[in-house]
Amino acid sequence: MGSPVGAPARLRLYVPHPESRLCSQLAHGSAIVGLPLANGKIRIYFEGNVIGASNLELYREKAAHAAGRMLHNYPAGYPTRARENVDPREVVEVGTIDSRTGRVEISAGANEMSWWISPADLTDLGFRLEAR
């Protein structure tokens, strides 16, 4: 991924709060990366792969793509509609992504994310899902 000079070493990963407007406005399963701003909002970039690109099928691929947009020409970021400054109550932090390597580290439990992230993606992220 390679981060530009002055860019943060890690970006935060989020899912939308289940009762937020983001929950209905973003494509289900979208990866959301972001950082808090000085004004109290959180700047997010997101990728939902609504066009079905084969290189953006996995959650981790979508997260890396959204992170790349945020890091492009940092701090300005890539000019895109897939960016927004949101109230912190609209998102729930679930992990981080390394700006240099793209490595995703999830701090939340599978139950906190399974309503948003598919079982296949949770398995890819290292979760062992039990059959119900």
Side-chain angles (χ1 to χ4, degrees), residues 39-110:
N39 66 6
K41 299 243 182 190
I42 297 176
R43 171 157 298 157
I44 62 168
Y45 281 75
F46 45 91
E47 176 56 60
N49 193 23
V50 295
I51 61 170
S54 62
N55 63 325
L56 296 173
E57 292 177 354
L58 294 173
Y59 175 83
R60 71 175 59 252
E61 295 166 338
K62 292 184 268 189
H65 194 75
R69 286 183 182 142
M70 182 170 226
L71 295 170
H72 175 84
N73 195 29
Y74 187 85
Y78 189 81
T80 178
R81 289 186 209 188
R83 168 185 139 164
E84 194 171 333
N85 295 340
V86 299
D87 185 286
R89 295 173 291 194
E90 291 198 62
V91 290
V92 177
E93 187 174 342
V94 295
T96 60
I97 183 167
D98 186 286
S99 298
R100 188 175 43 80
T101 65
R103 180 185 165 121
V104 170
E105 292 186 20
I106 301 296
S107 55

Side-chain angles (χ1 to χ4, degrees), residues 29 57-62 110 113-114 116-129:
E57 292 177 354
L58 294 173
Y59 175 83
R60 71 175 59 252
E61 295 166 338
K62 292 184 268 189
M113 301 181 307
S114 62
W116 185 254
I117 298 173
S118 75
D121 280 322
L122 290 171
T123 299
D124 177 66
L125 292 169
F127 288 95
R128 294 180 57 156
L129 304 177

